[in-house]
Amino acid sequence: MTRDPGDLAAEKAFQSSLPAKITGIVFWGLVLVGLILSVILLQRIESELRAHYGQHAEQFVSTLQLYLKNHPKPAPHALDGEVGRLLGELEFKGAVVTLDGKTRRFGSTGRGLTAMTRSVGAGRAGAGLSRVELFHPNLRRQIAEQRKGLLMTMGALFLMFGFILQWVLQRLLTRPFLRMVRTAEAFSSGETSERFDERRQDEFGFLGKFINKALDYVLLQQDELREALGRVRESESALYREKEKAEVTLHSIGDAVITTDAAGRIEYCNPVAEALTGWPLSKARGRPLEEIMRLFDENSREPVDNPVSACLRRGEVVDLADHTVLVREDGDEVAIADSAAPIRDRAGQIIGAVVVFHDVGHARRLARQLSYQATHDALTGLYNRREFEQRLELAIVSAREEHIEHAVCYLDLDQFKIVNDTCGHIAGDEMLRQLAGLLEGRVRETDILARLGGDEFGVLLHRCSLAQARRIAESLRETVRDFRFACDDHGFEIGVSVGLVAVTADSQSLAEVMSAADVACYAAKDAGRNRLHVYEPDDRELRRRQGEMRWVARLQKALDDDRFCLYYQPIVPITGDDSGPVLYEVLLRMRDTQGEEVPPMAFIPAAERYNLMPSIDRWVVRTLLETAAARLQLPAHSLCAMNLSGQSLGDTQFLDYVVEQLRRTGFPPEQVCFEITETAAIANLHGATRFMSTLKAMGCRFALDDFGSGLSSFGYLKNLKVDYLKIDGAFVRDITEDPIDLAMVEAINHIGHVMQIRTIAEFVETEAVMESLGTLGVDYAQGYHIARPAPLAQLLAEHPRLPGESRAEG
């Protein structure tokens, strides 16, 4: 067999690297040990040298002291000879001796030498010798010379040992190991006759014997496995052919399958059928199908004929009726849809039947759920508005065709927003669910109770006279009135305003009935809330409400067509003091499709009732700021005042809109004044305070309109940081004739001045009223006596902005 060049290269690399690795491990281990011993030996040599020179230094000093003791006054040459002798004997190169305060040098004391100093105490012998400094050769140099010799000797020994060790390992380890590797490679390549060398009397010989036995056993097992595999494949092929006809097909489908003989007795059922019926095949085989498949109508609970009987009798496919349930062996029910087909032999004779069915419970539950969701409110479980209106349309038809009288109650909860604002919408939803349960217990089984909107409910009272409907509606109102809702240590009492309308043969349409009920409900709210109002066709108040509802489309159309326009009315100082600002109140007007002017009180109540005022207020703010910034140049100390509705104050996005318009148009905020009514500010005190503080920080001013009309005017005034107080015109108009009105105006003016708020009197229509206001000290007056409202274009003509004139000028 030709060997691969890569294998040969790997074998050569292995042959050279294995002993080198082993030699390296031993070699470097010895080197490490040798280095440690060298370090210890050199440290010991250094310590011995230091101790040697220290002993010689003490001996030098002692000998010199003894000499000086015996020769107190030695001659210089004698002392030189003695010191020189001692230096030579004790291996010192030089010395510096301090004797009788004088220093003398002996021998070499220059560079490359190490000094050792010894001080001589006064009590020691040899008085006059006070200090001796001795110089000996550098210790590091001596140690380095010894280290060099030691390392060279050790290196030569280790190198020689490494070569010897590699040669020994090559013969004893590498060569036999490589022979074993080549044998293993040959066996793995398919040369099963190859065996390991068993002749060696060492570990390699023992290992070769063991591996050879293992190889023989592996070959034997391979032969046995080949034979067994052949037998298994033959059995598997036969088994697959037998099962292919039935089980492979039937087990792979998701439907339940049951086959019977010509008498309707079960022969086979697949696992899905076993699971659905609760009968295993071992128990079901041979039993009549009717015993296993017990079928009932899920609505009437009547037994359903088994389709197999009809199939065998007719000789055709038979489908199961809808709304059929299968009663399992354990009593559980499964909604199924199935069909039965005859089984024929080659001659066309019926030899049995096959039933195929599946679980449709999820589909039926989904259908019921979708049907329920389409007709019921998800929160309360009551009927929804769509289903209520469909039932009401049927009731209107029956009232017209059969002359049956029905009634509709429209319920709108009072103060429901307080629960949402205080405890959150989750608490509000829980309260609606509890109320729905209470109301369901107060209506008849034939009546329809539905949730029509957020906090609005409707009740369709079938075959109910108006008198009886009034009693039921009053019972519903009392139920809501007596209801107490607790949440987070808060207790809430709410009411409900109820509108009641009869459904008779004269009722024309669903829209008419719902509109009448809605109007009646609003009338109940306007009458003081928590009341019942019955719709009467000739009710003037209700007709007015219906007229307001028709205004909704007209107002929306006017906004789309830009048919609103701005007027202004000046507000003048009463005392003639010109130091204060000049004020102009901007008023809103609308033009109809023929161009005729519509007075504000004709459409503003409808706009407020149907939440259109925020859109109108946005139109006023945008139009005024754009017009004033582009075409109007007022004196710097003048103000343009515009009214804001309470709905806009409660709109969290309206504040951002005003700030954006002020920045976009560049109109000075110092010349803008917003008028808010006292009732609107009190109704949303937190929102009003935030609105005012934000815009006042930009420089805008605020006036409290219609002051005095509320019930807590003075109590809330200290919480509203306004610049102007507009006294309600109902008090101003008759102050010359009614002393109570005069006193009210005087009190309001006094309180305003105490709080450093300027006062403005509205509805000033005569000179006498003007003079009385001047006597009281009221600051400003507004009314027909001064000037009637005029189009804003007239003010633009009086104060036009010149070309190139800066907006900041004035």
Side-chain angles (χ1 to χ4, degrees), residues 328-539:
R328 292 164 40 90
E329 183 186 24
D330 55 10
D332 290 343
E333 295 183 356
V334 180
I336 65 169
D338 76 347
S339 63
I343 301 176
R344 301 177 185 272
D345 59 13
R346 294 183 179 180
Q349 298 297 317
I350 296 177
I351 60 174
V354 57
V355 182
V356 180
F357 58 98
H358 59 277
D359 185 355
V360 295
H362 175 71
R364 289 185 187 175
R365 286 192 299 271
L366 182 60
R368 286 194 294 268
Q369 181 180 359
L370 292 175
S371 176
Y372 179 86
Q373 291 176 348
T375 58
H376 288 74
D377 174 56
L379 176 64
T380 62
L382 303 177
Y383 287 110
N384 57 21
R385 189 182 190 99
R386 177 176 174 272
E387 182 66 14
F388 181 81
E389 291 179 348
Q390 289 181 354
R391 300 291 184 94
L392 180 54
E393 285 183 336
L394 295 176
I396 293 172
V397 173
S398 68
R400 185 183 309 120
E401 296 178 353
E402 304 175 19
H403 299 282
I404 302 173
E405 187 175 0
H406 312 289
V408 171
C409 292
Y410 195 101
L411 295 81
D412 191 349
L413 299 181
D414 300 326
Q415 307 300 328
F416 173 70
K417 186 174 183 295
I418 295 176
V419 179
N420 279 339
D421 293 344
T422 304
C423 298
H425 290 280
I426 296 178
D429 292 346
E430 177 60 27
M431 190 192 77
L432 289 176
R433 280 191 288 265
Q434 294 182 18
L435 272 176
L438 289 175
L439 294 176
E440 277 189 305
R442 295 294 187 272
V443 298
R444 304 170 303 174
E445 292 185 1
T446 57
D447 298 332
I448 300 298
L449 173 63
R451 183 186 179 205
L452 304 181
D455 58 349
E456 299 170 349
F457 297 86
V459 183
L460 174 58
L461 303 171
H462 277 285
R463 298 180 179 270
C464 186
S465 65
L466 191 61
Q468 185 182 4
R470 185 191 294 269
R471 290 193 296 270
I472 296 175
E474 187 63 30
S475 172
L476 295 175
R477 186 192 65 81
E478 292 175 356
T479 298
V480 178
R481 180 197 63 190
D482 297 337
F483 173 69
R484 301 292 183 272
F485 179 70
C487 177
D488 297 336
D489 299 329
H490 295 285
F492 298 95
E493 299 180 8
I494 63 172
V496 62
S497 299
V498 184
L500 178 62
V501 59
V503 180
T504 65
D506 297 328
S507 300
Q508 297 299 316
S509 65
L510 169 69
E512 180 187 79
V513 174
M514 291 299 293
S515 175
D518 187 30
V519 169
C521 182
Y522 272 117
K525 281 188 176 292
D526 288 347
R529 298 178 183 270
N530 196 28
R531 297 173 184 270
L532 169 66
H533 190 98
V534 181
Y535 176 82
E536 297 292 345
D538 58 349
D539 192 326

